[in-house]
Every structure is written in structure tokens, then in C-alpha cells.
Amino acid sequence: MAELVPLPFAHLLRRVLVEWERQRRIFDLPERSFWAGSPLDLSVSFHGARAATGVGPAAGPHSQLAQNIALSWLAGARVVELKTIQVADRLKLPRPCIDATNVGYNVEWSQELRLEESLLEYVKAWVLVHLLASLNPARLRPSELSTLFDLSVGYSLAGIRSEPVWRWLDALRDARPLIARLFNELPPDLAAIADVAVPARVSDCVTLSTFHGCPAGEIEAIARHLLERHDVHVIIKCNPTLLGHETVATLLGDRLGYDDIRLHAPAFAEDLRFEDLLDMLGRLEEVAKRVGRSIGVKLTNTLVV
């Protein structure tokens, strides 16, 4: 597969406006496939903020490009978990990195884009979502437009404390310079887009992903750092290894019939244990309460096989 290349912001905007005006589609998605809203209130509260639906993509290769995020929004996604970033951003990944014909097998490590590129993609996506909300092609009610972005970072305390990552996180807490840069670079025929109101804070929630074998103390230290230094809500991704080798083997093989999945026993010895997670969350809840934020868990992340 070819190298991933983000598209210029002006190109994305022109595609949105031209496709919608001429073909009643956006990024090749026809109007009939847009989410048309619901007579029911599908909203959820996510760390105290409201999202119009509880639907959205989890972090993956699909959620690292602005146009993909915009497409998810058109289909009804209102909680978008952005692709995980890390300080090591010059990776060569095998393709395809995910095979999900039945069981989802994943050989990917992290982002395919450089940190600076990911930062700009997420801000472009944030602006696109607010442009689409203003355009409102599916004629949704105002209450059906509210959208939240959830950042995702990994994978070690040293990496997350590094200057490139903390600058990246700070830039999304206050994205006004990047939003202004995008608008200022628009050609005259698109300059009116700058009138769309775009909130400066792209996200105030970070999902933490760590490698198998990351010590419990390091996971706790990362979560504490994100709460205290970056003033964000934190979600910790937890692996199925929490339950222990015997329980997971029984669930997958005897209960669910996945006899072809071969568990990696050493991962269970090194990974976070359930009782340690409970103790950790108790301490982190106190930290989160003190800084006016919240702590949560995502069940479940990946399983080494």
C-alpha cells in the first residue's frame, strides 16, 4: 500500500462544498447514508460533557485522517476516539496492519503519521465537524450535533512526559493558533468558512494505551501525570489478561469456541492484574477528584496471541 498522505485543508473543504452542492454527497458518501437523527434521545454523558449519541470509532488507522473522522460524523458518530500517538513517530508498519474478517488480528504499533501531521489532522477534523454541523446537510436538530473528541496516547511514562508529546497535548487543549493558521491559509473563495465558530479546546479527555508488560506503577504514574499536568479526564485501556490465563483460555476456548487462538502465556505473568487495577483506581479517583477531573477504564484492549 502507498504511504499515507494527508490532504490539504482547502482541498478537503472544497470537496465538502462542491460534492454537496453538485451531487448531494460528501467524501463520496451519499445523502441517503447520512444519519438522519432519531425521535429518541440517544445522547450520553461523557465525563460530564454531552454527546448527541454514544456511537463512534475507537482509535485505529481509520481515525487518523480528517476526512475519515468527518465521514464518521456524517454517519452519526458523536464520540470519536482519535488514533493513538506516541513519541516514536517514524515507524514502518506491515500492511495490512489489521485483519478483522472474524476475530480482529492487529500487528500495528502506533500512528503512521508524524506527530505534527497527526496534530494538524485532528484540528482539521475538528474544524470539518463544526463546518458540517453548521451546514447540517441531514437537517438534524441542534441537540443532535454535539460531538466530543477523545485523544489517545501511549505507551510509556518517559514518552508521554517527553517534550514532543506534552507540546502535542497542550496544542489540542488550546488549538486557537492552529485553527487560525488553517483559516488564514484558505484561498479567497473559501475565506467565508472562517466565520464558522470552532471551540478552541479540541478535547479534554485522554485514553491511555500501554504495551503488554507495562508495570502497574508506571500505568498509575502516567495517569497521574495526565490528570495533574495536562488537566484532562483519563481513561485507562485494560487488557483481557486482567482475568488470568486460565480464565481467559476457558472463555475463549470452552465457552466461545475459538480453539485456534493461541494465548501468549508470558503476557499474563507480566500484565496488570485485576486486584491491582482496583487498588490503582481507588488512588487515582482521589487524584482526579482533587484536580476536578475523572478517571475511567476501557474494557477491553488487546490480547497478545
Side-chain angles (χ1 to χ4, degrees):
M1 292 176 65
E3 180 183 356
L4 194 67
V5 179
L7 296 172
F9 183 56
H11 176 88
L12 295 172
L13 280 183
R14 189 167 278 111
R15 276 200 63 180
V16 169
L17 298 174
V18 170
E19 284 187 31
W20 176 243
E21 181 180 353
R22 295 180 182 177
Q23 300 173 295
R24 283 302 188 257
R25 60 176 60 225
I26 295 175
F27 297 129
D28 291 328
L29 186 73
E31 181 181 10
R32 65 178 181 273
S33 296
F34 296 176
W35 181 54
S38 170
L40 303 176
D41 179 7
L42 303 178
S43 65
V44 296
S45 177
F46 188 71
H47 295 281
R50 181 184 180 279
T53 73
V55 177
H62 52 288
S63 63
Q64 62 185 331
L65 289 176
Q67 62 268 35
N68 289 356
I69 296 167
L71 280 165
S72 76
W73 189 89
L74 288 167
R78 295 297 183 266
V79 182
V80 180
E81 186 183 8
L82 305 173
K83 180 73 186 81
T84 308
I85 61 95
Q86 63 162 326
V87 69
D89 60 357
R90 295 176 180 268
L91 303 171
K92 297 295 183 182
L93 304 177
R95 303 297 188 100
C97 60
I98 292 179
D99 176 8
T101 49
N102 182 8
V103 177
Y105 288 98
N106 177 14
V107 295
E108 148 208 38
W109 206 35
S110 188
Q111 80 269 15
E112 297 171 82
L113 302 176
R114 302 293 304 279
L115 279 169
E116 296 82 1
E117 293 174 320
S118 292
L119 177 63
L120 201 56
E121 280 303 289
Y122 298 159
V123 176
K124 286 192 289 188
W126 187 240
V127 176
L128 279 176
V129 161
H130 286 84
L131 169 65
L132 290 170
S134 176
L135 184 63
N136 198 5
R139 298 170 294 281
L140 301 173
R141 300 190 303 270
S143 62
E144 294 174 323
L145 302 173
S146 52
T147 307
L148 302 174
F149 278 14
D150 177 22
L151 308 179
S152 182
V153 302
Y155 289 93
S156 67
L157 179 60
I160 292 171
R161 278 181 172 171
S162 68
E163 182 175 351
V165 172
W166 65 251
R167 285 189 181 279
W168 191 93
L169 287 168
D170 285 351
L172 290 174
R173 287 179 62 216
D174 184 0
R176 281 174 294 184
L178 285 171
I179 295 170
R181 171 182 153 189
L182 292 175
F183 285 154
N184 290 337
E185 292 175 353
L186 291 176
D189 64 312
L190 294 175
I193 299 301
D195 294 334
V196 174
V198 182
R201 175 166 282 196
V202 174
S203 177
D204 64 355
C205 181
V206 172
T207 293
L208 169 63
S209 183
T210 55
F211 286 132
H212 287 273
C214 185
E218 181 168 355
I219 296 173
E220 183 171 351
I222 297 171
R224 182 184 291 268
H225 169 76
L226 291 170
L227 288 164
E228 295 178 334
R229 163 62 179 82
H230 292 286
D231 186 30
V232 291
H233 307 287
V234 176
I235 298 172
I236 300 173
K237 286 185 180 178
C238 299
N239 301 319
T241 46
L242 282 174
L243 301 178
H245 184 276
E246 182 178 349
T247 299
V248 173
T250 299
L251 287 170
L252 283 176
D254 298 343
R255 300 280 287 277
L256 298 176
Y258 290 110
D259 299 320
D260 57 326
I261 295 179
R262 300 181 181 179
L263 300 179
H264 184 65
F268 290 84
E270 299 168 355
D271 265 13
L272 182 67
R273 298 178 183 275
F274 190 76
E275 55 272 19
D276 296 329
L277 172 65
L278 294 181
D279 291 341
M280 176 198 305
L281 290 175
R283 294 187 293 270
L284 288 173
E285 280 182 341
E286 293 301 316
V287 177
K289 187 183 302 183
R290 173 166 52 79
V291 300
R293 293 292 172 176
S294 57
I295 190 81
V297 294
K298 179 179 178 180
L299 300 169
T300 64
N301 195 28
T302 54
L303 176 64
V304 176
V305 297

